[in-house]
């Protein structure tokens, strides 16, 4: 089984993403990002994640070097579109927290970016999945 390498951006809600990824033998969180340095260090230490970034954009820029397959986006809603589009363009599949975007236009741009990149975009509706 191929182990998927994952990056998580936003460690408030993203903490639960990490905990649940770690339950699956085919997933490994290898990088995390959060603007709050204290939370970044706390979560990184708690889950023994060495690659840490204080900006989601930095994690995305390193995606190729880290050989990331997936990026989870658990930031405040207003950043979902920008980070999702960048992650898709970097060649990663994306799991984005709900709500998907701030409006329909942003959601359509995210969908378009997924199609153009050939990557999957999934919105985390916890009660559905």
């Amino acid at each position: 089984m191929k182990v998927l390498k994952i990056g998580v951006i936003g460690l408030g809600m993203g903490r639960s993403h990490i905990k649940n990824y770690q339950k699956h033998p085919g997933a490994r969180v290898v990088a995390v990002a959060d603007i709050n340095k204290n939370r970044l260090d706390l979560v990184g230490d708690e889950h023994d994640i060495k690659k840490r970034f204080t900006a989601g954009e930095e994690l995305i820029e390193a995606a190729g070097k880290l050989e990331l397959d997936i990026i989870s986006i658990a930031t405040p809603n207003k950043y979902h579109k920008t980070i999702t589009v960048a992650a898709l363009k970097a060649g990663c599949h994306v799991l984005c927290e709900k709500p998907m975007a701030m409006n329909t236009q942003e959601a359509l741009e995210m969908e378009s970016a997924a199609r153009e990149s050939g990557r999957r975009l999934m919105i985390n509706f916890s009660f559905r999945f």
Side-chain angles (χ1 to χ4, degrees):
M1 168 193 318
K2 177 184 177 187
V3 175
L4 299 172
K5 293 182 181 178
I6 302 161
V8 177
I9 301 173
L11 300 177
M13 181 62 71
R15 263 182 143 149
S16 65
H17 287 228
I18 295 168
K19 288 177 185 176
N20 286 296
Y21 282 130
Q22 289 181 330
K23 291 177 185 176
H24 195 287
R28 192 176 83 191
V29 178
V30 298
V32 289
D34 197 282
I35 60 172
N36 181 319
K37 180 79 166 92
N38 290 334
R39 182 167 45 199
L40 178 65
D41 289 338
L42 179 71
V43 173
D45 291 347
E46 179 183 350
H47 297 286
D48 194 31
I49 301 167
K50 305 292 185 231
K51 299 293 181 181
R52 303 173 189 180
F53 302 89
T54 55
E57 296 82 4
E58 293 172 355
L59 185 148
I60 293 168
E61 287 174 20
K65 183 177 177 183
L66 296 172
E67 300 177 340
L68 294 181
D69 298 292
I70 301 166
I71 293 179
S72 268
I73 299 170
T75 61
N77 309 341
K78 65 182 179 180
Y79 302 115
H80 287 179
K81 185 206 89 162
T82 304
I83 297 172
T84 294
V85 169
L88 291 164
K89 287 182 178 179
C92 296
H93 300 287
V94 172
L95 173 63
C96 183
E97 266 301 331
K98 65 184 182 319
M100 180 177 188
M102 297 300 289
N103 54 54
T104 303
Q105 182 58 43
E106 285 187 1
L108 292 171
E109 290 175 38
M110 293 164 73
E111 178 189 31
S112 177
R115 286 185 187 186
E116 289 172 15
S117 69
R119 298 295 181 220
R120 293 184 186 205
L121 168 60
M122 183 174 174
I123 307 306
N124 189 28
F125 290 104
S126 302
F127 295 110
R128 192 169 289 172
F129 298 102

